[in-house]
Amino acid sequence: MSGFGEATAVERVGDGRYEAVLDGDFGFAEALNGGYLMALLGRAAVDASPHAHPVSTATNFHRVAKPGPAQVIVQPRKEGRTAASAFVTLVQDDRPVVDALITTGTLDAGAEPGYAGPAPAPVPPLAECTEFQPPTGSRGFADQIDMRFDRATMGWLDGQPSGSPEIRAWFRHRDGYEVDAFSLALAVDALPPVALNLGALGWAPTVELTWHMRAVPAPGWLAVHGTGRLLADGWFDEEVEVWDRAGRLVAQSRQIARVPRTRS
């Protein structure tokens, strides 16, 4: 097991070419978390860019990424004073696993919003939330990420889905890594699928996910809010907002995913 910084590290080995070792502790059963993979791709994109933050990432997941060696290929598309873009590919066994079009920029940590819409319903205080404790002797995502869930959105755990595609939770790293731009990439894909509260069962593989970094997060817990609009014909969408302890919207995402099966 390694910490988040080490687990998402990339090593430049050539012009636009990087090597990485994917950490199995950021996954579930052999399937690595998509947000973890986006964080790793974001690091490579930022390293190859004159800018400090991955402000927009549009990701396609082609295959299941597995623990072990991987390569990251960064192909620049545009470089400007305020933004640069690159097509970034994660490769394993000589096959593309994940592709992302990543736009980088440099956000001012002290910037004040010119407009901010209403915040979503707050996540209850930590003491009123449910923590997932990993089984003794196991290793995996819950060992790396400390999440405290709003109990009102977790009825599916007891076979009583709420009927509303919504899940809320607090998020932080267990290893003490302070939240940053790459943490946001992980946070937007850290919740259980909101379709579980519609009676869905099983692993819901993400097909495409786009996320935006809106601000540099303040230190501390992040509040993660997931909602959905439609489940139909084996597909569902999920939208996530991430808010920091200063009450600022720091990340947004939307994804489309597959639902393997549903309760009858």
Side-chain angles (χ1 to χ4, degrees), residues 32-56:
L32 294 175
N33 174 264
Y36 163 68
L37 300 175
M38 292 191 300
L40 189 144
L41 294 183
R43 285 198 190 277
V46 167
D47 183 81
S49 167
H51 304 295
H53 302 120
V55 297
S56 179

Side-chain angles (χ1 to χ4, degrees), residues 4 17 35 37 41 44 113 145 147 154 166 189 221 229 248:
F4 179 70
R17 296 174 53 247
L37 300 175
L41 294 183
I145 305 303
M147 298 193 75
M154 300 297 282
E166 186 175 21
D189 197 37
W221 290 87
R229 295 285 295 173
R248 298 179 306 159

